[in-house]
Amino acid sequence: MGALTNARDTTEIMNGGKQLVLPVKAKTTIYQGALVALDADGYAIPGKKAAGLTAAGRAEETVENTGGDGELVIRVTRGVFVYANTSTAANKVGAGHVLKPCYIQDDQTVTALATGASVAGLVIRVDDNGVAVEIGNGLTAPAAST
């Protein structure tokens, strides 16, 4: 498609695409409140330490897909959510990470360790309650291969 030569009525996605409905990977359970990621094939899975995942947001419901890929869907919200900080002292997310990426350790935990992990999102705040992570509006795509 070429560049515009006339006015265009460009569709706007309601709520800025804050809420998504995503197909769930086969034989997968995702619990409400979990950090949800997309695998390389575009299926929703619980967040886990693995390279090549894309953080999608927070699960708004529990879905148990006992069938095939995409037989069930899950509602996911993008935004800022508080997840647990890793228990590994050397990999803890700290104040120096604010507005920098943190990484998925599992479906409820983030870490500063990038090795073998995927970006969870941008760190917004770190305190005794955990790590506030902006998912879906900032850096959530896997790092490009070189």
Side-chain angles (χ1 to χ4, degrees):
M1 194 174 243
L4 290 175
T5 57
N6 289 305
R8 179 177 192 265
D9 183 12
T10 304
T11 304
E12 180 180 6
I13 303 298
M14 184 186 273
N15 294 323
K18 182 175 171 137
Q19 295 183 328
L20 307 171
V21 176
L22 302 170
V24 178
K25 182 81 174 167
K27 311 291 187 255
T28 299
T29 299
I30 302 173
Y31 294 98
Q32 181 178 352
L35 193 162
V36 176
L38 296 177
D39 68 10
D41 296 321
Y43 291 105
I45 61 171
K48 65 179 182 177
K49 182 176 180 174
L53 302 178
T54 302
R58 177 188 67 195
E60 295 303 310
E61 58 196 333
T62 297
V63 173
E64 182 180 2
N65 184 7
T66 58
D69 287 344
E71 284 189 24
L72 294 179
V73 296
I74 189 163
R75 291 179 301 116
V76 173
T77 299
R78 302 177 329 143
V80 179
F81 307 103
V82 179
Y83 288 102
N85 203 343
T86 185
S87 60
T88 306
N91 302 332
K92 281 204 176 283
V93 177
H97 294 100
V98 171
L99 296 181
K100 295 179 182 147
C102 64
Y103 302 88
I104 303 170
Q105 180 171 308
D106 60 39
D107 63 355
Q108 66 171 342
T109 311
V110 294
T111 178
L113 181 64
T115 305
S118 297
V119 173
L122 294 177
V123 176
I124 301 301
R125 184 187 74 220
V126 181
D127 60 24
D128 292 341
N129 295 318
V131 181
V133 181
E134 182 179 24
I135 303 172
N137 298 323
L139 179 63
T140 56
S145 300
T146 56

